[in-house]
Amino acid sequence: MTQPESAPPSRGAVAAGDQDLSEAELAELDALLAGIPEPLEPLDAVMLDGLLCGVIVQPVLVDVDAWLPFVFDAGGHRWGEAEPGAEQRRARALILRRHAAINRGLAEYGNFEPLLLQPDADNADEQQRAAEDPIGAILQPWVAGFDLAVHLLPALKDLDDSQVRAALARVLQFLPDADATTRRRSEMTLDQAVDHVVGGVAELYELTLPLRYKVEAVRHAAPKVGRNDPCHCGSGRKFKHCHGAASA
């Protein structure tokens, strides 16, 4: 993954603890996830990356405990004992740093670098898939993670917004499905396909931003008291000379 050459103009240097994960830290996180014992079924780092984007573009701010258990197990079961161990704490810290880095990239650059891996050269099944659908073979694991977040957190797909539906379709077109979609993918280069995914996620982020940070107006149960109205305390004095004066 690449880091921007300089910090955005809206902020100073990013603190070390807030920086995106290095390649070594990504490998460490992938190893931590792979080491989670059976029968739990953890995501790998690539699917995790897609899931984080699916969480970030939701039209509501999602509490970490609503999605993190599904990183450690597809069924959302607890990893380990009630008290987190050192490995769990380390995995959580790395995951939240990656989450923050993607969110920062989308908020300040309208962009991010998805984590993608080439098919395993030693895996015959992966190589066959890559020969039949090279772009799908690279993008599908990431998009599968994004799709998992969309299903776990249905607020996004439940929005009645044609632009949201179109942007969502741009990302999800790389899931394994009918031959027609595979044919459309075959007409793209890998760079074009990645641009579709990143552009779709960035558009979803912008479309849902007003909803994600919407502040409800405070509604008063009683009509507002004018400055020249009788004070609500019953003193007989004008509000501006009674409690209004105290407030001022």
Side-chain angles (χ1 to χ4, degrees):
M1 294 191 304
T2 58
Q3 294 281 351
E5 293 182 359
S6 60
S10 61
R11 62 184 289 134
V14 179
D18 294 331
Q19 290 178 355
D20 202 353
L21 304 186
S22 66
E23 290 193 11
E25 287 171 325
L26 282 169
E28 178 190 0
L29 176 56
D30 200 36
L32 286 169
L33 294 173
I36 294 175
E38 295 181 346
L40 301 184
E41 299 179 3
L43 304 186
D44 60 24
V46 174
M47 285 191 69
L48 165 64
D49 211 60
L51 180 134
L52 292 177
C53 283
V55 170
I56 288 169
V57 300
Q58 291 294 319
V60 293
L61 290 172
V62 184
D63 187 84
V64 63
D65 291 326
W67 56 266
L68 188 60
F70 294 90
V71 175
F72 301 141
D73 176 62
H77 299 103
R78 181 183 292 279
W79 171 25
E81 303 299 327
E83 185 66 27
E87 290 184 340
Q88 292 159 284
R89 291 195 298 271
R90 177 60 174 165
R92 181 187 177 103
L94 292 173
I95 290 167
L96 294 184
R97 269 181 54 200
R98 177 60 178 160
H99 178 282
I102 294 173
N103 189 72
R104 186 166 56 245
L106 287 168
E108 301 188 8
Y109 293 105
N111 201 353
F112 70 100
E113 189 77 15
L115 177 61
L116 302 172
L117 296 179
Q118 295 289 338
D120 186 351
D122 297 326
N123 187 311
D125 290 339
E126 288 190 19
Q127 288 302 308
Q128 182 177 351
R129 269 186 29 214
E132 295 170 353
D133 183 13
I135 290 175
I138 293 173
L139 288 180
Q140 282 171 9
W142 190 98
V143 178
F146 182 91
D147 188 49
L148 175 60
V150 171
H151 281 86
L152 289 174
L153 308 166
L156 179 65
K157 65 179 181 179
D158 288 348
L159 287 177
D160 186 17
D161 187 309
S162 60
Q163 289 181 292
V164 168
R165 288 194 295 271
L168 196 54
R170 288 177 65 190
V171 180
L172 297 181
Q173 68 175 304
F174 298 99
L175 287 173
D177 52 15
D179 291 340
T181 304
T182 303
R183 286 196 297 274
R184 287 199 300 273
R185 288 199 294 262
S186 68
E187 299 170 359
M188 302 181 190
T189 66
L190 178 60
D191 285 344
Q192 289 171 333
V194 173
D195 285 345
H196 270 270
V197 170
V198 173
V201 171
E203 186 175 358
L204 287 168
Y205 185 91
E206 289 299 320
L207 289 170
T208 56
L209 184 63
L211 299 173
R212 197 159 44 251
Y213 294 99
K214 182 179 179 181
V215 178
E216 295 292 339
V218 176
R219 297 186 178 273
H220 296 278
K224 185 177 179 180
V225 179
R227 284 175 46 76
N228 290 310
D229 290 342
C231 188
H232 57 76
C233 70
S235 66
R237 303 173 66 189
K238 290 184 178 180
F239 176 74
K240 66 181 179 182
H241 296 310
C242 190
H243 279 76
S247 299

